[in-house]
Amino acid sequence: MAIIERPAPTASILLRAPVTPSQSMGIVRRPVTSTGWKSWVFTVDHKKIGIMYGVFAMFFFIVGGVEALLIRLQLATPDGKILSADLYNQMFTMHATTMIFLFAMPMAAAFANYFLPLQLGARDVAFPRLNALGLWLLVSGGLILNASWFLGGAADGGWFMYSPNSGPVFSPSNGVDFWTLGVQIAGFGSLIGSINLIVTILNMRAPGMTLMKMPVFCWMILVVQFLLVFSLPVITVALVLLTFQRSFGATFFDVAQGADPLLWQHLFWIFGHPEVYVLILPAFGIISEVLPTFSRKPLFGYPFVVFSGASIGLVGFGVWSHHMFATGLGPISVAAFSIATMAIAIPTGVKIFNWTLTMWGGKIWYSTAMKFAIGLIVLFTIGGLSGVTHAVAPSDTQQTDTYYIVAHFHYVLFGGMVFGLFSGFYYWWPKVFGKMLNEKLGGWNFWLMVIGMNMTFGPMHILGLQGQPRRMYVWTEARAGEGLFNFGFWNRVSSLGSLILAIGVLLFLINVVHTTRKGKPAPLDPWDARTLEWITTSPPKEHNFDRIPVVHHLDDFFHRKYQEDATTGAMVQIATGEQLVRDEEANADAHIHLPSPSYWPIAIAIGVGTLGMGVVYGVPIMIVGVLIILGSSFGFVLEPSVADDIDYDPPMSGGQETKELAPLG
Amino acid sequence: MFTTGSKYCFGIAGLGSLGAVVYMVLVNPSDVGVLALLGIAIAMSLVGGVAQFTGDFDVDSPNDAVTANVVAPANSMWPLVLAVGGVFLLVGMTTDPIIFILGIVIIIAAGVEWALQSWAERASSDSAFNRFVRERALTSLELPVFVGGGVAIIAVAFSRIMLAVSPQNGAILFIVLATAVLIVGFLVSLKSNMKKSTIAATCVLGAVVLLVSGGIAGFSGNREQLVSAAAEDHYSHKDCEASESKYFDKNSENAVSMKSGVTATIRVKDGKLTAQLIGIDTQVQAVTVRRSNSTTILFRNLDDAQYRLVANLGTKKIADTGVEEEIVDCTQMTGKNQTQALILKISKPSASSGPYTLTVPGLEGQEIAVVVP
Amino acid sequence: MRLRRFGLGLAASSAMFLVGCARNAPQDTWQPKGDNAQKINKLDWMVFPLAGIVGVLVFGLIAYILFRFRDKGQALPTQSHGNPAVEIALTIVPALILSVVGVFTFKGIFELAQTNDTEMVINVTGQQWWWEYDYPAQVVNGVEITQPIITSGQLVIPTGTNVLLRETSRDVIHSYWIPALNGKKDAVPGRINLLRIQADKPGIFAGQCTEFCGLSHANMRMEAVALGPEDFAAWIANQQRNAEAPAQATLAQEGEAVFLNQCIRCHQVNGLKKADGTAAIAAPDENVYSGAAPNLTHLMSRNTFAGATFDLLTSSCRKNVWTASPEEFGSAYLKGVTTDCLNQTDLRRWLRNAPAMKPMYADPIKLARSDGKYRGMPNLGLSESDIDKLVAYLSTLK
């Protein structure tokens, strides 16, 4: 019985196996298997995380789509009876929230996660475990948001959640509590992800890839991450204020206490407007890759596209009050924001012209990806032009909060963003899954979506200008106008269109199933592509590149395949993509280190989710959440990035489960 | 020399006797506390003696077992800290709960540090690795605690200073402070080869200044304005006579709602009372206040004398006594070119329980009618 | 050939669009009926065609490119990276177009915000889910308003007069919008927001709350009624009267008793006296969270009830008012709701169970967070005979 034991003599220690850092530190063995569900749940591989982001987003795209269909079904006839007023209000709130926070942002994150390292020539993102944490926080936020459906009703204040209507008196169910917490948690995930991606882009580009030789997709993702870094803190502040107002009796928006409810609107839209660009710029990035590939020509005016993207991001922070033209800001503010809003149309217009001129003089291959990209240009232009009509503030006072606005932003977000994402699906599917999506089904998918989209949202322009306001659970014959082409006609067209649109999206899902089952294996370079992600196998190996590529050109992959003939000036093929990939495999790097999977990201996310539920359901649950977060954080901090041999079973077995990939070639 | 265990025992014994002396001098020489402390001191000296004699109760190990084969334990301050914690605990038991809690915290902290350190010393035979292990385990515990404590100290010190100085001086002070921090940071970043000790000294100096000024500010209490404001309750005044406290909040016009489109602005100029309504370009003598609606009315005094705006909102019957009581609300005394807000919520129309008026004590015969439709 | 087809398609679709716009929707934003809306419409007529032309040019270009540069087996194009001169031109041209739009927008904003030519002021207060109007004492076009007038649902204004609405809200943010007269302006609690309206001719103009304001947002409507000078004077005179007690021993008098027993808790009727002869004063602040309920003194002078959601007129009588020519409109409207025009069905359903007709937070058990106060009108559990009596009483409130 010693109060303090003396150190044992060296001799006895030597009898034991040598102790290594990770063994003393790792509390549990690392989940190092490369197959089975554990290999997904605990992964830190950016590609697996990207795919999970995609699956998550697609699931919520369908959820949000079903919500939208219910809304359209309710509005197909006057005095619709499908949904009650309460349910309808929840439905449109959650449709927007789901589509923005649980579909659009995660789907952009899916593309960014998967393709950013591949396009940059990197083996992974800068902080792989943070990457996983971002994903699981988002999942946690998404679950909390949607759990509200089953726990007394979802949020019913609209995704803009204007105070005081979002206060405890006016929205007495717990829906808004779940909403604020879910969005906050998902926001933390995005924030973590954005810092990770910024560091990745700035530090992990392949040798020779200067910023101005970086693919436009990476540029747009970079701009988006900066937008997120600066705008998410604002919404977090607003959400914390709202949480305190609802759960802890604060009075930040209470007029009787000398506050001003417009504070919420300013905070919300300082986030909310940049958020619009957060949603659209990734799609711009995608089609800036697709259009050159299928036009067989570099992007027209690369620096203009890049800098217009950056300036859209910058000016995007100075136009938030155009969402508030009717709130009584006073003519000076209204005029300033009106002009700023018109100014943002200029860089957007530059992008449209550059994409159009990229196709000029090209050799256009109408693949499904290309069709969607062209669809984006056309539909986004319509949305952009209607946007100019409400940059004119007096006109906007007639249009805001009517279906004209609904039409506008669905042309921008569905016609713009969703078409861009679908273009990306068709373009990169062979890269991710090694199989070609069926082009014939793709054609049907595209045309049904174009027709459905225009039928759904086109008539909304007319409805809005005829004076049908948004967010109304019923419309009435008394205000519908006379004749054949009244509210009733256009509402029915719109509802019918939404069904066609749904069938279009369904065809995509059918295409995915069909491809997974019977799709033909993709060639290594199916589109004669231009950027680095195609210089490796499809799907890429865990370590992405056998050899880290050295970059000499913008569109380096293309320039490895083609060279300008010195005499004629024509482009002459000197190698196929396939040859290049084989060449890389033959000259693989030895000793490639990759980070090991970890339990802690998902554990922290579970803790954060529990903490969030605790805010609604009481302090004991909060304490459990905090303890989980604390414990997992220490686990996160203490474990080394690379798993120890002892974590493998059996240790040092070699083969598939080695921590270091065997030297290749 | 002393063995590790005996150090601990003798430490407690020494501090126990010291505590006993202090207690005798400060509290009561014949108190039971003295006995307790002395008893601990005696008991611990005995145990310490035994420990010293037996080589920390490990009879197998020779006293001078430090050989080349064995890694010598590093010097440790934790026994001493633990002992100090014990003293705090005991002193706290008899005096102040805060000292008691402090004792518990010190004991827990020292215990954790000690345990982890000794565990780390035995982790392997490689002392460099042991050091690494210790740092890895302890830094991740220490860092959050230190950072949290540091943030708490800074927050408390800053808030004490902010509460003690006047708003104007406070603004200047913190602008100067922020500029100083920026300049120092800039200089440090310019001279990248600056000695670490210089930087550390600067930081320590800053911390000391912050702590000392925070302490002084904390003891000197809040500024007079805040004290009287707390006593007066900013917006609701029970007493609206002209003779009441002359205090006014110099910056009350900064309230958010006062920047919004308020219902009316009441002005005193050249001894005349007028009302200005948004959207109406002429001065009026009647204000419509909507029933049951939180309504902000601003009172702006443009004269030299101090005034307050009083709202006379009819009478109400006290339920128990049946006595009619006047309902009055008012702003604070408002100096020249100052603005004060009055937030009214009137639930009965003026036709039934009016008339309601806005008056200014000291300006007799002038009033603004309040119409509640 | 292809171009012609494209042109035909364009013409057909724009014709569809115009036809779609031209129908007589009551809230059509392209049919201004007053000076302010006209100003906005002029801006619309500038920016919409401009946007249309730009759109047609861009789509024409795209269509041409898609046709001309399709893959016909031509050689790989030159890998040109762009043309700075073209780029700069394509930046400057939209900037120029937009600055022209900007100048007119600027002018429009300040014109619509001016208040120095106001001829009449009306206070507008939004609450869940109806609008209250009060007319402060003032002289309008020579007609003096001596007693403040308070009404709801239908806003009555004189024609050819610049009316300034001073808007605020008692609870959440609402938005006042009569498309034929001006754009919308939010009613924000704690703020006074200004909206100018002016109507050229007598008529009735529909509107709808356009800021999402909770459960029954869709059922928060309003109508603006413009009357010629004499009709407006008559309306003012009527509105300043107190309600007259119904004749002795009529069903209406029994209805008054029911009213005094139930409705008076929230609804004021000016001039109504309790059985002991004292004035009956409603105390909506004790029962309704927003602290107000419509003043019913002249209920039958308005054509709608419950936030202008339901008609007090039967559909044929309503049609007579809505389709009346500007010359006849005043007399048609001032007739009010006569006994044979009263929409008994809806009024009775409303009295029977209001929340069933218009969703409201009217369940006292669920209102813990608003101190048990209702948001909207609860189900009063009136008997059928009480309803008969009340309808008889209410129809005396001309």
Side-chain angles (χ1 to χ4, degrees):
Chain A
M1 58 159 274
I3 291 178
I4 298 175
E5 277 182 42
R6 283 174 185 282
T10 319
S12 63
I13 280 185
L14 285 176
L15 297 178
R16 291 198 274 145
V19 184
T20 63
S22 54
Q23 191 186 350
S24 347
M25 291 304 146
I27 296 165
V28 284
R29 292 171 72 182
R30 299 283 281 263
V32 289
T33 54
S34 56
T35 52
W37 63 273
K38 280 188 187 169
S39 72
W40 288 88
V41 171
F42 304 120
T43 188
V44 295
D45 178 5
H46 74 95
K47 294 180 290 302
K48 282 181 172 168
I49 289 174
I51 290 172
M52 282 191 289
Y53 264 118
V55 171
F56 174 87
M58 207 59 201
F59 173 75
F60 279 106
F61 183 51
I62 295 163
V63 171
V66 170
E67 285 161 357
L69 283 176
L70 285 170
I71 291 172
R72 271 326 314 170
L73 215 55
Q74 165 85 353
L75 296 180
T77 53
D79 303 311
K81 297 274 185 288
I82 312 276
L83 301 169
S84 68
D86 193 21
L87 209 51
Y88 182 87
N89 292 346
Q90 296 176 29
M91 211 55 85
F92 79 73
T93 303
M94 291 303 283
H95 166 67
T97 308
T98 305
M99 285 303 193
I100 289 166
F101 293 105
L102 305 182
F103 161 64
M105 288 169 77
M107 195 53 96
F111 279 104
N113 259 292
Y114 202 100
F115 293 107
L116 206 61
L118 284 167
Q119 286 201 328
L120 294 175
R123 293 235 152 88
D124 206 318
V125 292
F127 308 114
R129 283 184 307 165
L130 283 184
N131 203 17
L133 178 60
L135 167 72
W136 294 116
L137 281 175
L138 175 81
V139 173
S140 172
L143 289 179
I144 286 187
L145 269 171
N146 281 281
S148 59
W149 286 112
F150 311 103
L151 298 169
D156 56 359
W159 90 284
F160 46 94
M161 215 44 88
Y162 277 0
S163 177
N165 194 36
S166 56
V169 173
F170 300 109
S171 187
S173 83
N174 278 331
V176 178
D177 299 319
F178 283 110
W179 185 88
T180 50
L181 293 162
V183 174
Q184 273 175 74
I185 291 171
F188 290 145
S190 297
L191 200 55
I192 289 169
S194 58
I195 288 167
N196 191 359
L197 293 182
I198 289 173
V199 176
T200 307
I201 293 172
L202 295 183
N203 288 329
M204 297 183 65
R205 298 189 307 278
M209 186 187 279
T210 58
L211 282 174
M212 292 310 279
K213 281 182 189 156
M214 194 164 78
V216 178
F217 175 72
C218 299
W219 258 111
M220 291 304 116
I221 295 295
L222 181 64
V223 173
V224 166
Q225 306 316 315
F226 273 109
L227 285 174
L228 284 171
V229 164
F230 291 116
S231 67
L232 279 170
V234 184
I235 189 69
T236 309
V237 166
L239 291 170
V240 168
L241 298 187
L242 183 57
T243 308
F244 271 68
Q245 175 117 358
R246 287 185 61 88
S247 301
F248 309 116
T251 56
F252 297 107
F253 311 114
D254 187 350
V255 175
Q257 306 296 326
D260 186 348
L262 287 195
L263 172 65
W264 167 270
Q265 292 190 22
H266 283 291
L267 288 175
F268 183 83
W269 289 116
I270 290 173
F271 153 78
H273 199 78
E275 172 71 14
V276 173
Y277 301 109
V278 167
L279 301 177
I280 191 69
L281 287 179
F284 283 3
I286 290 170
I287 71 155
S288 298
E289 300 298 317
V290 170
L291 285 168
T293 302
F294 294 103
S295 302
R296 317 293 179 76
K297 213 171 143 269
L299 189 65
F300 188 86
Y302 170 90
F304 281 85
V305 175
V306 166
F307 287 121
S308 67
S311 59
I312 287 173
L314 203 67
V315 184
F317 275 101
V319 298
W320 78 88
S321 281
H322 69 212
H323 298 265
M324 301 165 63
F325 280 157
T327 54
L329 296 171
I332 294 167
S333 305
V334 168
F337 281 101
S338 186
I339 301 302
T341 307
M342 288 177 193
I344 211 165
I346 297 167
T348 320
V350 166
K351 278 194 148 49
I352 304 272
F353 288 130
N354 279 294
W355 292 326
T356 311
L357 292 177
T358 301
M359 297 188 287
W360 181 277
K363 184 184 174 191
I364 302 173
W365 173 2
Y366 291 111
S367 69
T368 310
M370 185 64 171
K371 285 179 194 157
F372 273 108
I374 296 166
L376 182 146
I377 301 179
V378 173
L379 297 173
F380 183 83
T381 304
I382 296 175
L385 290 171
S386 65
V388 172
T389 65
H390 36 252
V392 180
S395 298
D396 181 71
T397 60
Q398 288 283 28
Q399 296 156 1
T400 185
D401 281 318
T402 70
Y403 268 86
Y404 188 76
I405 299 289
V406 180
H408 157 70
F409 72 73
H410 278 98
Y411 266 85
V412 172
L413 290 183
F414 202 101
M417 180 196 68
V418 178
F419 271 58
L421 295 176
F422 270 74
S423 174
F425 294 152
Y426 279 93
Y427 178 55
W428 276 317
W429 201 272
K431 178 87 267 171
V432 178
F433 298 103
K435 287 183 174 177
M436 305 291 286
L437 279 175
N438 188 312
E439 283 287 303
K440 200 171 173 190
L441 270 174
W444 280 97
N445 176 7
F446 169 72
W447 285 111
L448 279 176
M449 273 175 73
V450 167
I451 293 167
M453 139 93 208
N454 282 296
M455 266 179 80
T456 310
F457 304 117
M460 289 182 184
H461 288 112
I462 299 170
L463 281 171
L465 293 176
Q466 283 186 331
Q468 184 178 341
R470 304 163 70 178
R471 299 166 188 148
M472 301 204 317
Y473 75 101
V474 284
W475 56 272
T476 168
E477 289 281 13
R479 302 283 163 97
E482 294 146 15
L484 176 62
F485 297 110
N486 64 359
F487 279 14
F489 176 79
W490 295 117
N491 271 307
R492 269 188 293 278
V493 170
S494 177
S495 295
L496 189 67
S498 68
L499 282 178
I500 296 174
L501 188 53
I503 294 169
V505 174
L506 195 66
L507 271 185
F508 173 73
L509 298 177
I510 291 170
N511 198 350
V512 168
V513 174
H514 172 82
T515 304
T516 313
R517 286 206 183 148
K518 298 183 190 154
K520 58 176 192 267
L524 283 175
D525 183 20
W527 313 121
D528 197 6
R530 310 177 71 86
T531 41
L532 282 182
E533 72 269 27
W534 298 98
I535 204 164
T536 180
T537 49
S538 300
K541 295 162 184 151
E542 198 186 349
H543 53 280
N544 290 358
F545 299 101
D546 291 324
R547 177 170 66 170
I548 294 291
V550 178
V551 175
H552 301 288
H553 297 93
L554 179 66
D555 296 341
D556 202 65
F557 184 58
F558 183 84
H559 286 280
R560 290 184 189 205
K561 290 186 289 188
Y562 295 91
Q563 249 175 14
E564 201 171 341
D565 190 284
T567 49
T568 62
M571 297 305 289
V572 181
Q573 183 155 29
I574 50 169
T576 63
E578 196 128 343
Q579 285 168 344
L580 290 175
V581 176
R582 299 291 163 233
D583 188 44
E584 295 298 299
E585 282 186 342
N587 296 295
D589 293 340
H591 303 292
I592 299 165
H593 287 271
L594 285 177
S596 302
S598 170
Y599 289 117
W600 304 116
I602 192 170
I604 291 180
I606 290 171
V608 174
T610 316
L611 177 63
M613 294 302 262
V615 174
V616 181
Y617 288 112
V619 175
I621 300 174
M622 278 169 98
I623 292 172
V624 173
V626 168
L627 289 178
I628 298 176
I629 295 170
L630 270 180
S632 332
S633 302
F634 278 111
F636 198 109
V637 173
L638 288 174
E639 76 183 358
S641 68
V642 180
D644 197 64
D645 265 343
I646 201 95
D647 291 337
Y648 290 83
D649 193 20
M652 311 290 273
S653 66
Q656 283 197 322
E657 297 187 342
T658 47
K659 62 171 173 166
E660 180 182 302
L661 293 146
L664 291 143
Chain B
M1 273 309 291
F2 294 114
T3 59
T4 322
S6 63
K7 262 191 238 167
Y8 169 65
C9 299
F10 288 141
I12 292 182
L15 284 163
S17 19
L18 190 69
V21 173
V22 172
Y23 198 92
M24 269 195 284
V25 176
L26 290 183
V27 187
N28 186 356
S30 58
D31 199 271
V32 73
V34 180
L35 278 180
L37 285 168
L38 279 178
I40 287 168
I42 292 162
M44 287 319 276
S45 336
L46 280 174
V47 177
V50 175
Q52 171 68 17
F53 181 71
T54 59
D56 278 357
F57 310 100
D58 189 357
V59 283
D60 292 340
S61 84
N63 249 354
D64 50 353
V66 184
T67 65
N69 287 353
V70 179
V71 181
N75 291 336
S76 174
M77 65 169 176
W78 300 117
L80 182 66
V81 176
L82 197 69
V84 172
V87 172
F88 269 67
L89 199 69
L90 289 169
V91 173
M93 267 185 211
T94 51
T95 56
D96 193 331
I98 289 175
I99 298 177
F100 180 75
I101 291 167
L102 202 62
I104 291 180
V105 171
I106 292 173
I107 286 174
I108 290 174
V112 170
E113 292 273 358
W114 191 347
L116 275 172
Q117 188 180 30
S118 57
W119 166 74
E121 276 167 1
R122 295 183 294 108
S124 78
S125 56
D126 179 355
S127 64
F129 169 66
N130 287 353
R131 211 164 34 247
F132 164 77
V133 165
R134 197 207 83 86
E135 271 168 19
R136 188 97 197 237
L138 274 179
T139 313
S140 58
L141 279 175
E142 285 171 353
L143 212 61
V145 172
F146 284 153
V147 169
V151 168
I153 289 171
I154 289 174
V156 170
F158 268 32
S159 64
R160 292 314 101 182
I161 296 170
M162 285 174 182
L163 288 171
V165 298
S166 75
Q168 288 78 9
N169 296 343
I172 295 164
L173 178 68
F174 280 94
I175 289 169
V176 170
L177 200 66
T179 318
V181 170
L182 198 68
I183 290 170
V184 170
F186 184 66
L187 288 178
V188 169
S189 73
L190 275 187
K191 288 197 70 171
S192 51
N193 56 349
M194 193 181 260
K195 266 193 254 161
K196 262 191 177 174
S197 56
T198 322
I199 299 171
T202 318
C203 290
V204 168
L205 188 70
V208 168
V209 169
L210 180 67
L211 273 177
V212 170
S213 37
I216 293 170
F219 281 111
S220 64
N222 292 350
R223 59 174 176 269
E224 181 269 335
Q225 274 183 344
L226 284 174
V227 177
S228 46
E232 277 208 14
D233 188 7
H234 273 257
Y235 280 118
S236 61
H237 290 266
K238 300 290 167 280
D239 241 336
C240 292
E241 300 304 316
S243 59
E244 278 306 304
S245 159
K246 295 279 187 254
Y247 165 75
F248 56 90
D249 185 345
K250 284 186 173 151
N251 281 329
S252 68
E253 60 248 57
N254 288 338
V256 181
S257 65
M258 296 169 68
K259 305 271 186 196
S260 320
V262 295
T263 298
T265 307
I266 312 293
R267 281 197 178 77
V268 174
K269 194 179 181 193
D270 306 327
K272 301 246 322 163
L273 195 58
T274 52
Q276 175 80 50
L277 307 184
I278 284 186
I280 297 171
D281 294 347
T282 52
Q283 307 275 328
V284 293
Q285 293 295 321
V287 175
T288 301
V289 170
R290 295 160 220 218
R291 185 175 180 171
S292 302
N293 190 25
S294 288
T295 303
T296 309
I297 288 176
L298 295 190
F299 176 55
R300 186 152 179 80
N301 181 10
L302 300 169
D303 280 0
D304 290 329
Q306 291 192 1
Y307 292 117
R308 69 166 26 120
L309 184 69
V310 179
N312 309 289
L313 305 174
T315 56
K316 70 171 173 209
K317 211 174 252 172
I318 306 288
D320 305 334
T321 56
V323 179
E324 294 269 321
E325 188 191 55
E326 292 206 345
I327 309 171
V328 210
D329 204 348
C330 60
T331 66
Q332 294 164 348
M333 291 305 280
T334 306
K336 184 170 186 180
N337 291 334
Q338 304 295 331
T339 307
Q340 290 281 339
L342 193 59
I343 299 182
L344 299 176
K345 193 169 182 178
I346 308 171
S347 57
K348 293 273 183 285
S350 46
S352 67
S353 44
Y356 305 143
T357 56
L358 293 171
T359 54
V360 170
L363 293 178
E364 302 315 324
Q366 296 199 48
E367 61 177 40
I368 305 281
V370 175
V371 181
V372 181
Chain C
M1 196 54 219
R2 196 185 157 82
L3 263 179
R4 183 184 294 171
R5 232 186 312 156
F6 179 75
L8 271 178
L10 193 75
S13 54
S14 36
M16 274 268 283
F17 186 79
L18 289 177
V19 165
C21 287
R23 306 313 295 184
N24 192 25
Q27 285 169 202
D28 195 335
T29 59
W30 282 67
Q31 292 185 29
K33 294 282 164 56
D35 183 39
N36 301 291
Q38 192 67 55
K39 283 193 177 109
I40 296 176
N41 199 239
K42 274 186 189 147
L43 285 172
D44 285 346
W45 273 109
M46 171 188 64
V47 71
F48 273 80
L50 212 55
I53 291 167
V54 172
V56 167
L57 288 177
V58 171
F59 299 146
L61 179 66
I62 291 174
Y64 174 72
I65 290 173
L66 294 186
F67 179 71
R68 160 101 190 267
F69 297 106
R70 68 188 192 278
D71 189 347
K72 295 171 292 209
Q74 68 264 50
L76 210 56
T78 7
Q79 301 294 303
S80 75
H81 282 272
N83 180 338
V86 174
E87 294 281 355
I88 290 165
L90 286 177
T91 314
I92 289 173
V93 169
L96 284 177
I97 296 174
L98 284 168
S99 40
V100 172
V101 175
V103 168
F104 286 100
T105 304
F106 222 82
K107 194 161 151 268
I109 290 169
F110 283 95
E111 276 179 7
L112 286 162
Q114 69 183 16
T115 54
N116 54 6
D117 53 356
T118 302
E119 294 165 275
M120 180 184 186
V121 173
I122 302 174
N123 291 324
V124 176
T125 315
Q127 54 260 285
Q128 290 179 326
W129 289 275
W130 58 286
W131 293 94
E132 185 178 82
Y133 311 107
D134 69 78
Y135 297 60
Q138 60 191 306
V139 180
V140 185
N141 303 338
V143 181
E144 187 171 9
I145 303 176
T146 49
Q147 289 297 312
I149 294 170
I150 186 157
T151 177
S152 59
Q154 285 182 328
L155 174 75
V156 179
I157 56 168
T159 51
T161 308
N162 287 326
V163 180
L164 186 74
L165 305 183
R166 303 176 82 239
E167 299 178 20
T168 191
S169 162
R170 288 201 172 91
D171 39 40
V172 303
I173 300 174
H174 304 274
S175 192
Y176 198 82
W177 186 41
I178 307 280
L181 301 183
N182 199 343
K184 52 188 78 66
K185 185 64 68 82
D186 290 358
V188 182
R191 279 176 173 255
I192 302 288
N193 281 345
L194 305 176
L195 180 67
R196 284 154 59 86
I197 55 172
Q198 182 264 4
D200 293 333
K201 287 184 191 154
I204 182 161
F205 313 107
Q208 165 78 39
C209 172
T210 41
E211 186 59 81
F212 179 65
C213 58
L215 195 62
S216 238
H217 167 59
N219 296 321
M220 184 168 172
R221 298 187 201 141
M222 55 278 207
E223 282 153 15
V225 173
L227 296 176
E230 284 121 55
D231 292 328
F232 185 69
W235 184 82
I236 292 283
N238 183 50
Q239 294 290 316
Q240 299 196 74
R241 275 190 314 110
N242 276 348
E244 283 163 25
Q248 292 288 329
T250 54
L251 194 62
Q253 202 200 15
E254 290 179 49
E256 191 189 51
V258 179
F259 193 95
L260 280 169
N261 188 26
Q262 287 278 6
C263 318
I264 194 68
R265 274 184 279 166
C266 298
H267 292 286
Q268 182 69 41
V269 169
N270 299 349
L272 181 64
K273 292 201 165 48
K274 289 190 235 171
D276 60 5
T278 56
I281 304 296
D285 52 301
E286 289 164 15
N287 302 296
V288 185
Y289 189 79
S290 307
N295 185 309
L296 300 181
T297 314
H298 301 286
L299 176 65
M300 293 297 156
S301 76
R302 5 193 229 258
N303 300 341
T304 60
F305 69 104
T309 307
F310 306 107
D311 289 307
L312 276 175
L313 291 172
T314 55
S315 56
S316 64
C317 293
R318 177 182 187 275
K319 206 173 170 205
N320 286 340
V321 175
W322 279 76
T323 56
S325 68
E327 295 76 40
E328 293 159 0
F329 176 79
S331 56
Y333 180 75
L334 284 181
K335 257 194 280 176
V337 183
T338 52
T339 322
D340 48 332
C341 272
L342 179 63
N343 176 4
Q344 297 248 358
T345 337
D346 280 348
L347 187 58
R348 281 165 189 276
R349 269 173 65 210
W350 179 259
L351 293 171
R352 213 168 281 135
N353 187 0
M357 278 178 85
K358 175 175 174 177
M360 292 180 282
Y361 280 97
D363 179 353
I365 304 160
K366 287 184 188 158
L367 294 177
R369 276 183 145 161
S370 51
D371 306 327
K373 289 180 183 173
Y374 303 117
R375 288 192 281 138
M377 180 160 147
N379 180 357
L380 295 167
L382 296 171
S383 71
E384 285 303 311
S385 71
D386 279 352
I387 291 172
D388 288 342
K389 293 171 192 167
L390 266 180
V391 170
Y393 174 67
L394 291 176
S395 40
T396 67
L397 299 173
K398 303 274 184 195

